[in-house]
mmCIF file of all heavy atoms in Angstrom:
data_model
loop_
_atom_site.group_PDB
_atom_site.id
_atom_site.type_symbol
_atom_site.label_atom_id
_atom_site.label_comp_id
_atom_site.label_asym_id
_atom_site.label_seq_id
_atom_site.Cartn_x
_atom_site.Cartn_y
_atom_site.Cartn_z
ATOM 1 N N GLY A 47 77.442 203.412 -34.007
ATOM 2 C CA GLY A 47 77.931 202.419 -34.884
ATOM 3 C C GLY A 47 78.114 200.968 -34.207
ATOM 4 O O GLY A 47 77.414 200.729 -33.104
ATOM 5 N N GLY A 48 78.730 200.162 -34.705
ATOM 6 C CA GLY A 48 79.071 198.923 -34.182
ATOM 7 C C GLY A 48 78.181 197.823 -34.736
ATOM 8 O O GLY A 48 77.019 198.043 -35.127
ATOM 9 N N VAL A 49 78.631 196.557 -34.634
ATOM 10 C CA VAL A 49 77.851 195.302 -35.015
ATOM 11 C C VAL A 49 77.997 194.300 -34.019
ATOM 12 O O VAL A 49 79.059 194.153 -33.372
ATOM 13 C CB VAL A 49 78.179 194.791 -36.371
ATOM 14 C CG1 VAL A 49 77.808 195.793 -37.541
ATOM 15 C CG2 VAL A 49 79.672 194.402 -36.538
ATOM 16 N N ALA A 50 76.947 193.483 -33.896
ATOM 17 C CA ALA A 50 77.093 192.229 -32.968
ATOM 18 C C ALA A 50 76.258 191.008 -33.469
ATOM 19 O O ALA A 50 75.300 191.331 -34.268
ATOM 20 C CB ALA A 50 76.689 192.657 -31.558
ATOM 21 N N ILE A 51 76.645 189.978 -33.048
ATOM 22 C CA ILE A 51 75.980 188.658 -33.338
ATOM 23 C C ILE A 51 75.546 188.041 -32.010
ATOM 24 O O ILE A 51 76.389 187.752 -31.166
ATOM 25 C CB ILE A 51 76.754 187.663 -34.206
ATOM 26 C CG1 ILE A 51 77.105 188.365 -35.508
ATOM 27 C CG2 ILE A 51 75.946 186.428 -34.431
ATOM 28 C CD1 ILE A 51 78.127 187.520 -36.336
ATOM 29 N N PHE A 52 74.273 187.784 -31.897
ATOM 30 C CA PHE A 52 73.700 187.107 -30.710
ATOM 31 C C PHE A 52 73.236 185.717 -31.073
ATOM 32 O O PHE A 52 72.675 185.522 -32.052
ATOM 33 C CB PHE A 52 72.552 187.898 -30.151
ATOM 34 C CG PHE A 52 72.964 189.235 -29.506
ATOM 35 C CD1 PHE A 52 73.215 190.289 -30.228
ATOM 36 C CD2 PHE A 52 73.268 189.217 -28.046
ATOM 37 C CE1 PHE A 52 73.604 191.555 -29.560
ATOM 38 C CE2 PHE A 52 73.708 190.505 -27.424
ATOM 39 C CZ PHE A 52 73.890 191.572 -28.244
ATOM 40 N N ILE A 53 73.630 184.766 -30.267
ATOM 41 C CA ILE A 53 73.364 183.209 -30.571
ATOM 42 C C ILE A 53 72.690 182.708 -29.281
ATOM 43 O O ILE A 53 73.120 183.013 -28.282
ATOM 44 C CB ILE A 53 74.695 182.530 -30.907
ATOM 45 C CG1 ILE A 53 75.196 183.147 -32.250
ATOM 46 C CG2 ILE A 53 74.400 181.168 -31.181
ATOM 47 C CD1 ILE A 53 76.474 182.540 -32.718
ATOM 48 N N LYS A 54 71.676 181.739 -29.567
ATOM 49 C CA LYS A 54 71.181 181.000 -28.392
ATOM 50 C C LYS A 54 72.295 180.291 -27.669
ATOM 51 O O LYS A 54 73.213 179.850 -28.256
ATOM 52 C CB LYS A 54 70.129 179.880 -29.008
ATOM 53 C CG LYS A 54 68.774 180.460 -29.331
ATOM 54 C CD LYS A 54 67.885 180.203 -28.117
ATOM 55 C CE LYS A 54 66.478 180.428 -28.706
ATOM 56 N NZ LYS A 54 65.554 180.707 -27.629
ATOM 57 N N THR A 55 72.140 180.205 -26.382
ATOM 58 C CA THR A 55 73.187 179.742 -25.449
ATOM 59 C C THR A 55 73.413 178.235 -25.755
ATOM 60 O O THR A 55 74.401 177.745 -25.369
ATOM 61 C CB THR A 55 72.761 179.868 -24.080
ATOM 62 O OG1 THR A 55 71.391 179.406 -23.731
ATOM 63 C CG2 THR A 55 72.662 181.249 -23.676
ATOM 64 N N ASN A 56 72.591 177.449 -26.422
ATOM 65 C CA ASN A 56 72.736 176.124 -26.592
ATOM 66 C C ASN A 56 73.416 175.715 -28.018
ATOM 67 O O ASN A 56 73.638 174.564 -28.303
ATOM 68 C CB ASN A 56 71.479 175.263 -26.483
ATOM 69 C CG ASN A 56 70.422 175.643 -27.634
ATOM 70 O OD1 ASN A 56 70.533 176.765 -28.142
ATOM 71 N ND2 ASN A 56 69.563 174.744 -27.848
ATOM 72 N N ILE A 57 73.819 176.808 -28.662
ATOM 73 C CA ILE A 57 74.391 176.572 -30.042
ATOM 74 C C ILE A 57 75.934 176.686 -29.892
ATOM 75 O O ILE A 57 76.468 177.714 -29.275
ATOM 76 C CB ILE A 57 73.784 177.605 -31.094
ATOM 77 C CG1 ILE A 57 72.407 177.265 -31.322
ATOM 78 C CG2 ILE A 57 74.659 177.578 -32.343
ATOM 79 C CD1 ILE A 57 71.742 178.229 -32.249
ATOM 80 N N CYS A 58 76.735 175.751 -30.397
ATOM 81 C CA CYS A 58 78.100 175.823 -30.506
ATOM 82 C C CYS A 58 78.668 176.634 -31.604
ATOM 83 O O CYS A 58 78.237 176.549 -32.732
ATOM 84 C CB CYS A 58 78.700 174.451 -30.483
ATOM 85 S SG CYS A 58 78.313 173.520 -29.021
ATOM 86 N N TYR A 59 79.675 177.532 -31.410
ATOM 87 C CA TYR A 59 80.239 178.434 -32.485
ATOM 88 C C TYR A 59 81.641 178.804 -32.087
ATOM 89 O O TYR A 59 82.117 178.643 -30.979
ATOM 90 C CB TYR A 59 79.313 179.699 -32.443
ATOM 91 C CG TYR A 59 79.420 180.496 -31.333
ATOM 92 C CD1 TYR A 59 80.338 181.540 -31.147
ATOM 93 C CD2 TYR A 59 78.528 180.257 -30.265
ATOM 94 C CE1 TYR A 59 80.410 182.175 -30.075
ATOM 95 C CE2 TYR A 59 78.659 180.968 -29.030
ATOM 96 C CZ TYR A 59 79.584 181.991 -28.977
ATOM 97 O OH TYR A 59 79.735 182.710 -27.802
ATOM 98 N N LYS A 60 82.298 179.409 -33.075
ATOM 99 C CA LYS A 60 83.705 179.840 -32.862
ATOM 100 C C LYS A 60 83.632 181.359 -33.425
ATOM 101 O O LYS A 60 83.575 181.501 -34.670
ATOM 102 C CB LYS A 60 84.677 178.929 -33.617
ATOM 103 C CG LYS A 60 86.059 179.346 -33.314
ATOM 104 C CD LYS A 60 87.120 178.467 -34.022
ATOM 105 C CE LYS A 60 88.492 179.010 -33.765
ATOM 106 N NZ LYS A 60 89.482 178.301 -34.587
ATOM 107 N N PRO A 61 83.984 182.330 -32.587
ATOM 108 C CA PRO A 61 84.127 183.723 -33.152
ATOM 109 C C PRO A 61 85.254 183.827 -34.155
ATOM 110 O O PRO A 61 86.312 183.138 -33.862
ATOM 111 C CB PRO A 61 84.352 184.484 -31.785
ATOM 112 C CG PRO A 61 84.042 183.664 -30.731
ATOM 113 C CD PRO A 61 84.188 182.198 -31.192
ATOM 114 N N GLN A 62 85.130 184.579 -35.095
ATOM 115 C CA GLN A 62 86.211 184.752 -35.961
ATOM 116 C C GLN A 62 86.860 186.150 -35.887
ATOM 117 O O GLN A 62 86.218 187.153 -35.587
ATOM 118 C CB GLN A 62 85.678 184.621 -37.541
ATOM 119 C CG GLN A 62 85.107 183.346 -37.770
ATOM 120 C CD GLN A 62 86.090 182.294 -37.525
ATOM 121 O OE1 GLN A 62 87.149 182.104 -38.342
ATOM 122 N NE2 GLN A 62 85.882 181.334 -36.549
ATOM 123 N N ASP A 63 88.183 186.082 -35.976
ATOM 124 C CA ASP A 63 88.942 187.366 -35.777
ATOM 125 C C ASP A 63 88.943 188.196 -37.174
ATOM 126 O O ASP A 63 89.744 187.855 -37.965
ATOM 127 C CB ASP A 63 90.416 187.175 -35.377
ATOM 128 C CG ASP A 63 91.083 188.396 -35.084
ATOM 129 O OD1 ASP A 63 90.582 189.585 -35.065
ATOM 130 O OD2 ASP A 63 92.394 188.399 -34.914
ATOM 131 N N VAL A 64 87.966 189.068 -37.272
ATOM 132 C CA VAL A 64 87.849 189.836 -38.444
ATOM 133 C C VAL A 64 88.034 191.403 -38.318
ATOM 134 O O VAL A 64 87.813 192.176 -39.067
ATOM 135 C CB VAL A 64 86.397 189.580 -39.229
ATOM 136 C CG1 VAL A 64 86.431 188.142 -39.658
ATOM 137 C CG2 VAL A 64 85.259 189.857 -38.314
#
Side-chain angles (χ1 to χ4, degrees):
V49 293
I51 300 172
F52 290 84
I53 297 180
K54 279 265 195 199
T55 55
N56 63 338
I57 295 177
C58 297
Y59 65 91
K60 182 178 179 189
Q62 298 302 293
D63 182 12
V64 294

